[in-house]
Structure formats: structure tokens, C-alpha cells
Amino acid sequence: MAASDPETAQRQIDEIDALSSIYGDDWCVVDEDERIFCIKIGDCLEQPKWTLCLQVILPSEYPASAPPIYQLNAPWLRGQDYIELTNSLEEIYVKNLGESILYLWVEKIREVLIEKSQSSDAAGPSIEKITEEIDEDNEDDYSLEYQPVQEDTIKTLNFVISESQEDEELPPINHGNPISDRRSTFQAHLAPVASPKQVKMVLAKLYENKKIASATHNIYAYRIYCEDKQTYLQDCEDDGETAAGGRLLHLMQEESSKQLGKNKRVRKDKKRTEH
């Protein structure tokens, strides 16, 4: 991803190097070409009770004139907790326009986690309770959501396959049957992807088809589970159809929630059988 100017590019590099040095193994490079990073944050260094993963995508204009695109991943982060934390991060950005803010964001999140640790049960968040809540009401938003600071964000994917992507294998693409409704035709395409590079490869392959490339709206969404960080890498694109990509991503999130509830019920049934 090309930076808007050499000075901005260097500021990004300097900030990334500093964060990597400060946070060590907790700092993860998800996709260097696309400037996607993730950091695991806890209320303490050893045996943290409260943790959260902050995933960021750095636009080419950051930090000079654009904020990071970010995502907060934690099963317990819901409702008012979520609203208050995102408001705090956006306030930090507004107060430091044009400055590098990722360190400030990380330490603010850590401050929130420490406050929760000091004011809540010593055992930390109850994962079992969280899964029960999701199981009871699958219509609730799951907490792993794509959250841009501003709505008018840059597209994070380009469709030119670089030399570094040549070792990636193009996953199989399944094509749904076209559906016509009120002079519009819709067609779904599905591919199992394991990296952002594979997402770009799938999109590039689809756009080789002239009908797809010339379509009025090409929306997409993807979710990739990063097992080492126990978090989701996800993004979506509306392509001019307001909120369409976001709704598609929301459906994928709901399916994850339902699967989580299903797995939980299977474990309960197994325990009953064993007894």
C-alpha cells in the first residue's frame, strides 16, 4: 500500500518499529503489505484476567490526515463497555489530529482493563456466561465487528497481485445461480480464504469476468480466524450500495455466534450422556 508522501510513510515505519520494540510478542504483523497489525492487550503482563485484541489497518494518509481503521476483539466487550471504549479512542484521535496515536490507544485500552480488573470479580470475565447470552439471543450483535473511526475510509484492498503473493494458492470459487428481481440481477460467489492476500486473489479472479467487473455494485465481506491471537480478521465493501457490505458481514458474524451456541449445546449434551 503506497503512502501518500515519503514523510508520512516514514512516520508509519517509525511508529510500527517503536510499537514492535515496546510490546514484543504481543505485537503481531498480520499483513505487512496492507499495513494490518494486531496487538494483544491485558490488564497485566503475567496471567492477565482481562484481555482484548486491537486490530488496525493503517491508511496511506495516516497519521497526517486519516485515522487508523480499527477493530476491537473481546467476547466480553458488549453494550455500554463497547460504546464507552470506542468513544474514548475516537476522542484521543480528535485531540491528536495529525499525530501518531496507536501507543495512546493501546495504553488507554490497558487502563480500561486495569479498572475492570480492580472493580470486578477476581476471576475475570465469565466466558461461559457470555456464550450462554449469545446462545439465548442470536440476534444480538457479536462483539467482533469491523469498526472504522470514520465512515469515508479508503478501500483496504487493491486487486493487483504482487510478486510476494505468487506463493499463495487461489482457493476454489463457487458461483451461485443468478437471481433476477425488479430489473436487477444478483449473483453470489463464495470462496474459503485464509489470508487477506487470498481475498485479493479471489477478487482479482472474479474481476477477470467482464460481467462481474461491469456490475453496478460488487459488495463483499470476509472473516478469517487467527488462531494464534484468537481473533478475527475481517472487512467489507459496500461499493456504493449503502451498508450492503456491512450487512453481509453481520450475517457472517451471526453465523459464527450460532455455531458457537451449537458447539456449546453439543458439549452440554455430551456431558449429560457421560453422566
Side-chain angles (χ1 to χ4, degrees):
M1 184 184 297
S4 55
D5 62 73
E7 181 181 355
T8 299
Q10 188 58 49
R11 290 176 67 187
Q12 276 199 24
I13 293 171
D14 292 344
E15 183 177 18
I16 291 166
D17 289 345
L19 292 169
S20 177
S21 177
I22 293 170
Y23 298 113
D25 293 339
D26 289 334
W27 175 262
C28 174
V29 179
V30 178
D31 189 318
E32 187 171 7
D33 292 339
E34 293 298 331
R35 298 290 186 184
I36 305 175
F37 306 93
C38 180
I39 179 168
K40 185 176 181 180
I41 308 164
D43 57 345
C44 64
L45 295 177
E46 295 184 4
Q47 297 182 332
K49 292 180 292 186
W50 294 83
T51 61
L52 182 151
C53 282
L54 169 66
Q55 179 188 303
V56 295
I57 304 174
L58 302 183
S60 58
E61 298 89 353
Y62 171 80
S65 58
I69 300 167
Y70 73 97
Q71 170 183 317
L72 299 171
N73 294 336
W76 56 266
L77 187 62
R78 304 168 64 121
Q80 192 61 31
D81 284 339
Y82 173 79
I83 294 171
E84 289 179 359
L85 184 52
T86 55
N87 286 344
S88 295
L89 298 187
E90 294 185 21
E91 184 179 350
I92 289 172
Y93 170 72
V94 171
K95 287 183 177 180
N96 297 274
L97 290 174
E99 301 297 326
S100 301
I101 59 167
L102 293 184
Y103 176 80
L104 297 177
W105 275 10
V106 172
E107 292 310 310
K108 178 59 182 180
I109 293 171
R110 193 185 309 281
E111 177 185 317
V112 170
L113 297 179
I114 292 173
E115 289 176 357
K116 293 189 71 66
S117 177
Q118 293 173 345
S119 62
S120 62
D121 191 309
S126 172
I127 300 300
E128 182 177 356
K129 182 178 180 181
I130 291 168
T131 56
E132 285 176 352
E133 289 175 354
I134 294 172
D135 196 16
E136 290 172 1
D137 188 0
N138 280 320
E139 293 182 1
D140 286 347
D141 288 347
Y142 199 50
S143 61
L144 306 180
E145 296 181 353
Y146 171 77
Q147 292 294 335
V149 176
Q150 59 181 20
E151 292 186 8
D152 186 20
T153 57
I154 64 166
K155 293 183 179 180
T156 59
L157 294 171
N158 59 67
F159 310 120
V160 178
I161 307 303
S162 65
E163 292 182 2
S164 62
Q165 292 172 271
E166 291 179 356
D167 57 344
E168 293 274 0
E169 183 178 350
L170 177 69
I173 304 174
N174 295 314
H175 308 279
N177 295 323
I179 299 173
S180 295
D181 180 44
R182 288 172 292 183
R183 297 182 181 179
S184 294
T185 301
F186 306 87
Q187 186 177 20
H189 311 277
L190 177 68
V193 295
S195 71
K197 291 180 180 179
Q198 284 192 327
V199 175
K200 291 191 293 183
M201 293 174 72
V202 169
L203 291 170
K205 183 64 177 179
L206 289 172
Y207 285 173
E208 290 178 3
N209 184 305
K210 292 182 179 180
K211 286 186 178 181
I212 295 176
S214 61
T216 306
H217 304 292
N218 280 309
I219 69 169
Y220 66 82
Y222 68 87
R223 299 188 86 213
I224 301 169
Y225 184 65
C226 303
E227 189 170 357
D228 58 338
K229 293 292 180 180
Q230 296 186 351
T231 183
Y232 282 95
L233 173 63
Q234 57 189 29
D235 200 357
C236 60
E237 170 60 46
D238 297 333
D239 194 27
E241 184 69 16
T242 305
R247 292 192 182 103
L248 182 59
L249 180 58
H250 180 72
L251 289 174
M252 298 171 73
Q253 292 166 342
E254 283 191 336
E255 284 302 311
S256 295
S257 299
K258 290 177 183 178
Q259 188 61 43
L260 182 63
K262 181 180 178 181
N263 291 342
K264 184 172 181 290
R265 286 193 293 272
V266 169
R267 288 196 298 271
K268 283 184 177 180
D269 293 340
K270 184 178 179 181
K271 286 182 180 178
R272 292 193 190 103
T273 304
E274 289 174 349
H275 288 315

